[in-house]
Amino acid sequence: VQINSANVVYDNSWLWRADHDAAGLVHKRHNPVETAIEVNGDNVIAYGLAVEHTLGDQAVWNGENGRVYFFQNELPYDVDTEFAEGNFVGYRVADTVTKHYAAGLGVYSFFRDFTVMTETAFVTPKDQDGVILKNPMAVFLN
């Protein structure tokens, strides 16, 4: 999903890249989806946003003055160390954003097929007091 308009309210969505299909488990980056949601518009509010298993950054926020209330994410099961080397995360706020607020964020991982160690689950601009993540949580389930 890509939101390019301003002043959008986005409510109760679950964006999911299939980690299994009719034949069974998905392996080695099959069913390719890079990003679940990319927000480019300003003043976008999301309530109840869940994204799972995409192969790049799960959620990317480029718009100014975005707000998110509840974010749930599971990183993909079937990636290898290239996922960590690419610095992909569950929730990314672009370096150009100066104002963003998100509350109640959770990112968890279970790397089923390979040993993968990510550096972080969340990325925000450095030295931006107007970018606030309230109560973020990351859990490594392996």
Side-chain angles (χ1 to χ4, degrees):
V1 171
Q2 188 177 64
I3 299 175
N4 294 315
S5 297
N7 306 308
V8 172
V9 176
Y10 192 75
D11 184 35
N12 193 29
S13 65
W14 181 27
L15 308 172
W16 180 70
R17 171 189 161 256
D19 59 341
H20 59 275
D21 58 21
L25 297 177
V26 169
H27 293 278
K28 297 182 182 174
R29 303 176 64 87
H30 288 231
N31 296 347
V33 176
E34 289 302 313
T35 300
I37 187 166
E38 178 182 340
V39 178
N40 299 314
D42 295 339
N43 305 307
V44 174
I45 302 171
Y47 297 99
L49 175 59
V51 302
E52 296 191 352
H53 308 152
T54 66
L55 299 171
D57 287 332
Q58 309 292 298
V60 178
W61 211 283
N62 297 315
E64 279 294 334
N65 201 34
R67 289 179 280 160
V68 175
Y69 301 94
F70 180 78
F71 173 80
Q72 179 268 320
N73 169 247
E74 182 176 54
L75 298 176
Y77 299 141
D78 60 312
V79 292
D80 58 22
T81 57
E82 289 180 11
F83 185 81
E85 292 163 3
N87 296 313
F88 297 120
V89 296
Y91 193 88
R92 181 180 302 274
V93 179
D95 288 340
T96 57
V97 172
T98 60
K99 189 172 181 185
H100 182 85
Y101 178 84
L105 301 96
V107 174
Y108 56 98
S109 60
F110 175 74
F111 296 112
R112 180 191 66 207
D113 299 338
F114 299 96
T115 300
V116 179
M117 298 297 293
T118 58
E119 186 174 322
T120 187
F122 306 94
V123 171
T124 60
K126 293 181 180 17
D127 302 321
Q128 285 296 345
D129 293 338
V131 176
I132 299 167
L133 302 186
K134 184 175 180 178
N135 299 323
M137 175 194 75
V139 177
F140 183 64
L141 298 174
N142 292 57

